[in-house]
Amino acid sequence: MKMNKPIIGITSTILDIEIKGEVNPSVQTNHQYVKTVIEIGGIPIVLPVANEEIAKEYVNICDGIIFASGEDINPSNYNESPLEELQKTNIARDEMELPLVRYAVEKRIPILGTCRGLGVINVALGGSMKQNIETKESAFSHNQKTSRKLPSHKISISEDCHLNQLLGVNDAMVNSKHHQAIDELADSLRVAATAEDGTIEAVEARDKNQFILGLQFHPEELYAADTDMLNLLELFGKACSKGN
């Protein structure tokens, strides 16, 4: 029997944790995502890194999926060689999450991506990434030195985008902890928000009947003190509830 609350999957990574002198590969995701899903009325389940066959099963049990933050996306996924500035990647995670995006889109399951998750959505749908934005191109650093629970810069929300219509605001203050950003945007996505230096900060599906929201920032760290961020996350929760 279907539960009244939506089941929302949260992607994870593999972290080596030392216990009593032995290294144990462990499933890891930021607990703030779990708290966020509970806050917006969902049931959180963590999705371990597995294989493409398991990814197909994940979309059968989830009413929505959060693609969490983490490692850089391996540039081979968008036909580029790695630059020196590329940071840690996780091939196994890429190999599961990229098809997971495509299966979720095919099944029209709402998806939300933050930071790495934005890149995963874009690359899975045919886009590419700037492997490192800490160059002359960038008007300011996007890797803030303060806590992610504090905003560091403003974004402008496009007036004609679905996100603007839903939130009713033209700008917002966000946090920033990344060194990569979208380069070529996937055809099925549209820009929903940008930073003052032109960095893409939010994307959404061109098809307004499909809930896809990718965010370069971390609303899960801001919503407790920011009504706009809470509203944004609640929109995702409501989209996940529609199938219930």
Side-chain angles (χ1 to χ4, degrees), residues 143-156:
N143 190 12
Q144 71 186 62
K145 305 305 179 185
T146 55
S147 167
R148 286 193 300 189
K149 295 190 179 300
L150 299 172
S152 65
H153 70 82
K154 185 173 77 171
I155 62 171
S156 298

Side-chain angles (χ1 to χ4, degrees), residues 10-15 25-29 45-55 58 68-69 71 89-100 116:
I10 305 163
T11 62
S12 64
T13 190
I14 303 168
L15 186 67
S26 303
V27 175
Q28 191 275 336
T29 197
I45 61 170
V46 177
L47 307 178
V49 175
N51 54 40
E52 188 170 345
E53 183 178 351
I54 296 297
Y58 284 158
S69 58
E71 304 93 340
T89 62
N90 186 328
I91 293 175
R93 187 175 179 186
D94 291 349
E95 287 178 345
M96 190 200 79
E97 289 188 9
L98 293 171
L100 181 59
R116 169 192 159 88

Side-chain angles (χ1 to χ4, degrees), residues 8-158:
I8 300 177
I10 305 163
T11 62
S12 64
T13 190
I14 303 168
L15 186 67
D16 287 339
I17 297 177
E18 186 173 331
I19 301 175
K20 295 182 179 180
E22 291 188 3
V23 175
N24 293 270
S26 303
V27 175
Q28 191 275 336
T29 197
N30 189 337
H31 187 65
Q32 193 63 33
Y33 289 112
V34 174
K35 292 170 66 176
T36 297
V37 170
I38 294 171
E39 176 69 28
I40 63 177
I43 297 173
I45 61 170
V46 177
L47 307 178
V49 175
N51 54 40
E52 188 170 345
E53 183 178 351
I54 296 297
K56 288 182 180 179
E57 296 302 323
Y58 284 158
V59 299
N60 290 329
I61 62 175
C62 293
D63 299 300
I65 298 174
I66 295 176
F67 289 85
S69 58
E71 304 93 340
D72 287 357
I73 300 167
N74 193 301
S76 64
N77 292 300
Y78 46 91
N79 299 316
E80 288 188 13
S81 299
L83 300 179
E84 185 178 349
E85 297 85 359
L86 186 71
Q87 296 180 11
K88 182 181 179 181
T89 62
N90 186 328
I91 293 175
R93 187 175 179 186
D94 291 349
E95 287 178 345
M96 190 200 79
E97 289 188 9
L98 293 171
L100 181 59
V101 169
R102 294 188 283 266
Y103 293 137
V105 170
E106 183 180 344
K107 202 169 179 181
R108 305 189 78 80
I109 293 173
I111 57 177
L112 170 68
T114 69
C115 203
R116 169 192 159 88
L118 165 71
V120 168
I121 292 170
N122 185 54
V123 171
L125 298 179
S128 66
M129 303 296 291
K130 296 177 182 179
Q131 292 187 44
N132 185 57
I133 60 172
E134 301 298 318
T135 65
K136 297 179 190 175
E137 301 176 17
S138 187
F140 57 84
S141 172
H142 285 263
N143 190 12
Q144 71 186 62
K145 305 305 179 185
T146 55
S147 167
R148 286 193 300 189
K149 295 190 179 300
L150 299 172
S152 65
H153 70 82
K154 185 173 77 171
I155 62 171
S156 298
I157 301 174
S158 304

